[in-house]
């Protein structure tokens, strides 16, 4: 039977979470908001509008949302030509594809950003499909991105595993009914990922690859 390995990208396959923290911090600073970096870090992985709401509150001036998102996008875009893949990212995807897993990306990135991330991973030959921000109405922790990835793979939830680095990933995967695997390379504690639904947690893609035989992706 077909089976799907669904992957988040930022912080899971590409080492970008701290770049997002820095560029969001600068975007907020330019708009007159002092938001602690540790708070931004824990919000990374949410769609832009949800991240802004999470950090500034529902009573904020929502007219600023678009300019904040645009500032973050412009600041982060300066790094597109040198985004670093995490150790073992491309090798893990190729190994799974070679083991007859359908590999699908589920990411809040889209457009040029998604292109830059895929270039960093350098494993397009192993990626069957991508569920991006351009394809869904709601982002994680809503299950829609994972559900869309499963539709692209043509695989039911019980035949899929979702790998991510944030609590938003684990909640989205759990709500979609898939087994969830966490990685620590996004910078969040093991306990947070486990509490949010991770069945197993590994250091990074290289650690997951080395431990594949005893993992949910065995």
């Amino acid at each position: 039977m077909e089976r799907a390995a669904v992957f988040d990208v930022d912080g899971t396959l590409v080492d970008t979470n701290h770049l997002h923290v820095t560029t969001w911090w600068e975007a907020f600073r330019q708009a007159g908001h002092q938001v602690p970096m540790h708070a931004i870090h824990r919000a990374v992985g949410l769609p832009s509008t949800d991240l802004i709401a999470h950090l500034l509150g529902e009573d904020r001036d929502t007219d600023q949302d678009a300019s904040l998102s645009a500032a973050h996008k412009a600041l982060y875009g300066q790094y597109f030509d040198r985004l670093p893949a995490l150790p073992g990212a491309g090798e893990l995807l190729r190994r799974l594809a070679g083991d007859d897993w359908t590999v699908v990306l589920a990411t809040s990135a889209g457009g040029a950003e998604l292109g830059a991330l895929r270039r960093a991973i350098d494993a397009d030959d192993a990626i069957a499909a991508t569920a991006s921000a351009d394809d869904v109405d709601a982002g994680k922790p809503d299950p829609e991105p994972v559900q869309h990835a499963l539709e692209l793979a043509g695989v039911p939830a019980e035949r899929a595993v979702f790998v991510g680095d944030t609590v938003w990933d684990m909640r989205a995967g759990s709500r979609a009914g898939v087994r969830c695997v966490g990685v620590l390379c996004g910078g969040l504690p093991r306990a947070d990922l486990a509490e949010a639904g991770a069945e197993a947690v590994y250091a990074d893609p290289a650690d997951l690859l080395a431990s594949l035989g005893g993992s949910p992706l065995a």
Side-chain angles (χ1 to χ4, degrees), residues 73-98:
K73 186 175 182 179
L75 290 161
Y76 181 62
Q78 298 176 70
Y79 298 96
F80 279 3
D81 62 345
R82 55 194 186 278
L83 299 179
L86 282 155
E91 294 89 339
L92 174 60
L93 300 192
R94 289 194 182 91
R95 169 67 181 276
L96 291 170

Side-chain angles (χ1 to χ4, degrees), residues 154-208:
V155 173
E158 60 270 19
R159 296 284 300 170
V161 177
F162 179 46
V163 183
D165 68 295
T166 69
V167 296
W168 319 115
D169 292 326
M170 299 302 100
R171 290 174 185 172
S174 296
R175 291 170 183 172
V178 304
R179 301 172 74 184
C180 295
V181 170
V183 287
L184 299 172
C185 42
L188 293 186
R190 180 183 299 269
D192 287 14
L193 298 175
E195 183 179 351
E199 179 179 331
V201 180
Y202 300 88
D204 55 21
D207 183 33
L208 176 53

Side-chain angles (χ1 to χ4, degrees), residues 83-177:
L83 299 179
L86 282 155
E91 294 89 339
L92 174 60
L93 300 192
R94 289 194 182 91
R95 169 67 181 276
L96 291 170
D99 288 345
D100 295 324
W101 288 84
T102 299
V103 176
V104 183
L105 306 182
T107 174
S108 58
E113 180 182 349
L114 178 56
L117 292 165
R118 290 187 65 141
R119 287 193 297 276
I121 300 166
D122 192 24
D124 277 355
D125 54 316
I127 300 168
T130 300
S132 76
D134 304 326
D135 306 318
V136 295
D137 295 323
K140 305 164 195 167
D142 191 279
E144 187 183 1
V146 180
Q147 291 167 339
H148 182 55
L150 298 180
E151 291 170 2
L152 293 173
V155 173
E158 60 270 19
R159 296 284 300 170
V161 177
F162 179 46
V163 183
D165 68 295
T166 69
V167 296
W168 319 115
D169 292 326
M170 299 302 100
R171 290 174 185 172
S174 296
R175 291 170 183 172

